[in-house]
């Protein structure tokens, strides 16, 4: 009987995220493929890079094959988690010289092979299926195959170290529906767009629900608005979106939410060019999305640059006016607050390191973002990243390297965007008194707890008391830090709140906190009112005694 290991080193790809608490589809597909091939479930071990880290990167036993997915060349920052790096994956191969390892995912393009390493350039789940049947072909999987493997592999999530506090990334399609492709992007390398059928996606989600998962994100796709588009009726290089199929999928998901089977439902990537080219169809889909997702969700838009010359040279999706129009449309539909938080807001992704950048590029980015702020529009997050051109893309062939002066300008405006745009945006999105549900404590340090919701692009909540690690708390926002929110457990009980936490409530301060502590317990809030005169009504609403 074959014995295999599925090793998840986590993924952070342009159109797929799988760093805990997110779990990407790939390890689930591999498990399902092995299972379909007849490998006994007791002989498929699911590990993560974290378990290898704890064991000096050595496997405790040998396998016929380790199927490794994920890892990042340039890791981002993730509170409470660390993605596997290329260096760590090389270490795993070196420290286990007798162990055969098949490496899949985008990382396989930047790692060297080795005696014990097979680099899988197509789909590692398909390779696993062949391997279990005695072959070693490196091929693409098909949509019907992953429909089966996704269901068969759902139970593998129970082995995840953070189970059941995870959110499963769900694939709806791969490949880019746009006619032309951006200079840097790996999605454009898929020859055609492959959509999954709504019933396949739902069958996978039902299998994951049976396995104990209740949080999902429709995140693995280039553009959620183009789900099951006919890839026809092009305007400006974008196909006409078709509201029917996504509506069908969302209505099934709403039904499961209403039955309490889904607690978090998020989406990811959408193309601002689709919204600008087809505002009517896009608005219809956006309304459906805003009515279905969990409030506080983000629609990430790969705008990449507000510099028209950079847009032209890199064949990006939208010019600045179109980007602003897309942001305005999403705000108009998703900006209404549900349970105190806007239901669906745009996120803006910007890239640095694109061909055509000059010292003026970053000022243009800054100005466009300032205009968004001044117009009272909300952007949930601004993500500025260094471009990593993927092998096979025009940007990779061109090897553009920014000059020192361009680098300096980039850093200068990135910092200004953080302090002058992101911070006020944070205040506008989460005014004092906003209630955020189910923040999970990921770290405690020097009298503070750092928590995050298990959801898409969740913001760090800094709570001025040490709470049990991994415990969940509803919180109320009391103030704003540079890139996080100061919060207190909801409701705020002023009879039991520690002194430091009381001091941090705007309008109470050090002296007020001492007075409250000397006077409490209060029998009612009215009795405490003299001490709360300067506290805003929005925070007071969350107080109890
Ligand atoms: S529009 Fe550009 S960034 Fe988006 S998936 Fe297509 S090629 Fe990639």
């Amino acid at each position: 009987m074959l014995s295999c290991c599925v090793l998840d080193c986590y993924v952070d790809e342009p159109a797929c995220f799988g760093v805990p608490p997110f779990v990407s589809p790939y390890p689930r597909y591999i498990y399902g493929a092995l299972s379909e091939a007849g490998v006994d479930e007791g002989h498929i071990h699911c590990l993560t890079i974290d378990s290898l880290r704890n064991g000096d990167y050595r496997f405790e036993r040998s396998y016929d094959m380790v199927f490794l997915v994920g890892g990042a060349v340039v890791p981002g920052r993730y509170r409470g988690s660390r993605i596997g790096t290329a260096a760590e994956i090389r270490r795993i191969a070196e420290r286990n010289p007798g162990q055969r390892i098949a490496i899949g995912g985008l990382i396989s393009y930047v790692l060297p092979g080795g005696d014990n390493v097979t680099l899988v350039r197509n789909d590692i789940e398909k390779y696993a299926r062949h391997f279990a049947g005695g072959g070693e072909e490196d091929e693409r999987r098909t949509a019907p195959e992953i429909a089966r493997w996704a269901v068969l592999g759902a139970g593998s999530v129970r082995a995840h170290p953070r189970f059941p506090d995870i959110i499963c990334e769900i694939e709806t399609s791969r490949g880019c529906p746009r006619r032309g492709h951006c200079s840097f992007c790996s999605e454009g390398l898929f020859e055609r767009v492959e959509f999954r059928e709504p019933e396949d996606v739902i069958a996978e989600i039902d299998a994951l629900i049976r396995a104990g998962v209740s949080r999902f994100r429709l995140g693995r796709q280039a553009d959620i608005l183009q789900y099951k588009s006919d890839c026809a009726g092009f305007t400006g290089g974008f196909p006409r979106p078709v509201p029917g199929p996504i509506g069908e999928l969302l209505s099934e998901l709403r039904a499961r939410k209403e039955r309490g089977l889904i607690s978090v439902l998020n989406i990811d990537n959408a193309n601002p060019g689709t919204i600008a080219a087809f505002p009517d169809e896009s608005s219809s889909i956006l309304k459906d999305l805003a009515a279905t997702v969990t409030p506080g969700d983000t629609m990430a838009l790969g705008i990449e640059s507000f510099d028209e010359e950079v847009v032209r040279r890199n064949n990006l999706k939208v010019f600045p006016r179109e980007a602003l129009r897309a942001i305005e449309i999403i705000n108009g539909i998703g900006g209404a607050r549900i349970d105190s938080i806007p239901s669906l807001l745009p996120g803006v992704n910007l890239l640095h390191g694109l061909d055509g950048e000059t010292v003026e590029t970053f000022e243009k980015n800054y100005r466009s973002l300032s205009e968004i702020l001044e117009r009272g529009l909300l952007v949930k997050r601004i993500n500025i990243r260094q471009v990593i051109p993927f092998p096979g893309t025009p940007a990779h062939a061109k090897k553009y390297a920014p000059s020192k002066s361009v680098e300096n300008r980039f850093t200068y405006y990135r910092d200004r965007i953080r302090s002058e745009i992101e911070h006020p945006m944070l205040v506008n999105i989460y005014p004092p008194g906003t209630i955020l549900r189910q923040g999970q404590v990921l770290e405690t340090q020097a009298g503070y707890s750092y928590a995050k919701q298990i959801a898409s692009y969740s913001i760090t909540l800094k709570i001025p008391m040490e709470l049990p690690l991994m415990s969940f708390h509803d919180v109320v926002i009391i103030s704003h830090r540079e890139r996080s929110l100061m919060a207190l457990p909801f409701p705020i009980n002023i009879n039991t709140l520690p002194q430091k936490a009381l001091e941090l409530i705007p309008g109470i301060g050090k002296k007020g906190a001492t007075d409250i502590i000397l006077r409490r317990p209060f029998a009612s809030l009215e009795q405490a009112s003299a001490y709360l005169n300067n506290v805003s009504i929005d925070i007071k609403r969350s107080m109890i005694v």
Side-chain angles (χ1 to χ4, degrees), residues 71 102 141-142 164 178 205 289 295 297 299 334 347 404 411 440 453 463:
R141 40 72 162 177
T142 63
R178 201 184 153 205
I205 287 177
L289 286 168
D297 199 8
M299 175 171 266
K404 187 76 195 140
T411 310
Q440 186 178 35
Q453 291 176 299
I463 306 168

Side-chain angles (χ1 to χ4, degrees), residues 175-178 180-182 184-188 222 238 271 304 315 317:
C176 174
R178 201 184 153 205
H181 303 301
C182 307
F184 58 88
C185 178
S186 53
E187 280 302 291
F238 293 91
N271 197 322
E304 330 300 6
N315 198 24
K317 295 139 257 192

Side-chain angles (χ1 to χ4, degrees), residues 79 96 98 142 182 199 246 278 303 380 503 524 528:
R79 187 175 288 280
N96 300 277
T142 63
C182 307
E199 56 272 24
I246 183 78
F278 297 100
I303 290 169
K380 177 86 179 298
E503 284 173 14
S524 67

Side-chain angles (χ1 to χ4, degrees), residues 33-72:
L34 293 170
S35 185
E36 183 184 78
V39 182
D40 188 272
E41 297 195 354
H43 289 84
I44 312 172
H45 285 183
C46 295
L47 301 177
T48 65
I49 180 74
D50 287 318
S51 49
L52 271 265
R53 282 175 182 136
N54 296 335
D56 197 27
Y57 299 96
R58 290 175 216 277
F59 292 103
E60 282 180 3
R61 44 160 298 185
S62 65
Y63 302 94
D64 292 299
M65 183 63 88
V66 170
F67 300 96
L68 182 158
V69 272

Side-chain angles (χ1 to χ4, degrees), residues 26 36 61 97 138 180 201 205 209 223 239 299 344 356 389 403 436:
Y26 308 127
E36 183 184 78
R61 44 160 298 185
D138 181 357
V201 175
I205 287 177
I209 289 172
D223 183 1
M299 175 171 266
L344 177 67
S403 66
L436 294 182

